Amino acid sequence: MHNTHMLEFSKNSDEYGNLVPIEGRRNIPFDIKRVYYIYGVDQKQRRGFHSHNDLHQALICVSGSVKILVKNPNEEEIIELNDPSKALYIGPKVWREMYDFSEGSVLLVLASEYYTEDDYIRDYDEYLADAIEYYKNI
Ligand code: TYD
């Protein structure tokens, strides 16, 4: 799907456990300016419901599992994240919703820019109008 794909990180695994290093522009396609994580989400809760104009993100479920719905005017996918060595890259102009957070799950997000509400599109009709134009040229 446009502007989304899975990333698979190399693990340093030995009898002591696993270690996954992530370096901006080395094993993810952007420099990391911001890190946040989502946890303690009720299993019935659905979050997200937005798109970004310019932001690049990598979503990693570092504990437990969560489903991510990504869509644009022409495509839609549901990805279950349940492996701390994999990330879902989401670029600009992709609508996303997160749900089915397992108990105790932690969703880590690496982002290419500092937080600004100006970069969000939270209204789905507004998203569609903008995205139809954007994806027409791809
Ligand atoms: P939001 O991005 O809407 O969460 P989700 O998409 O998971 O439902 O963010 C929830 C709240 O947290 C909102 O008030 C904005 C704030 N926030 C920050 O202050 N900084 C951040 O980096 C992020 C991602 C959110």
Side-chain angles (χ1 to χ4, degrees):
M1 188 177 139
H2 275 103
N3 288 3
T4 72
H5 58 262
M6 291 304 295
L7 302 167
E8 198 160 342
F9 304 124
S10 298
K11 281 186 278 194
N12 293 277
S13 301
D14 53 28
E15 66 269 34
Y16 304 110
N18 305 296
L19 184 153
V20 176
I22 302 173
E23 298 180 302
R25 289 198 186 278
R26 289 195 169 167
N27 54 355
I28 60 167
F30 54 85
D31 284 323
I32 302 161
K33 270 198 187 164
R34 176 165 54 108
V35 175
Y36 63 93
Y37 41 94
I38 298 170
Y39 65 100
V41 180
D42 191 283
Q43 277 170 295
K44 293 187 288 294
Q45 197 59 50
R46 208 170 169 104
R47 308 182 54 114
F49 299 101
H50 67 259
S51 149
H52 287 280
N53 282 323
D54 293 314
L55 194 68
H56 302 264
Q57 291 181 307
L59 281 62
I60 305 158
C61 193
V62 289
S63 183
S65 64
V66 61
K67 293 197 182 89
I68 318 287
L69 166 80
V70 280
K71 64 178 170 180
N72 66 39
N74 314 314
E75 301 165 291
E76 179 169 326
E77 252 181 67
I78 293 169
I79 295 118
E80 179 164 8
L81 296 178
N82 55 15
D83 181 341
S85 71
K86 290 182 182 164
L88 174 64
Y89 163 79
I90 306 182
K93 312 282 188 189
V94 177
W95 187 263
R96 89 285 312 266
E97 296 171 20
M98 293 92 89
Y99 63 101
D100 272 2
F101 285 81
S102 69
E103 199 171 341
S105 60
V106 182
L107 180 64
L108 176 70
V109 182
L110 312 175
S112 65
E113 297 298 334
Y114 298 123
Y115 170 75
T116 168
E117 191 59 36
D118 294 348
D119 191 62
Y120 280 74
I121 306 175
R122 293 191 185 270
D123 180 86
Y124 189 67
D125 291 337
E126 190 188 325
Y127 166 73
L128 264 189
D130 180 58
I132 285 167
E133 269 308 298
Y134 176 81
Y135 285 96
K136 206 163 67 181
N137 305 318
I138 287 180

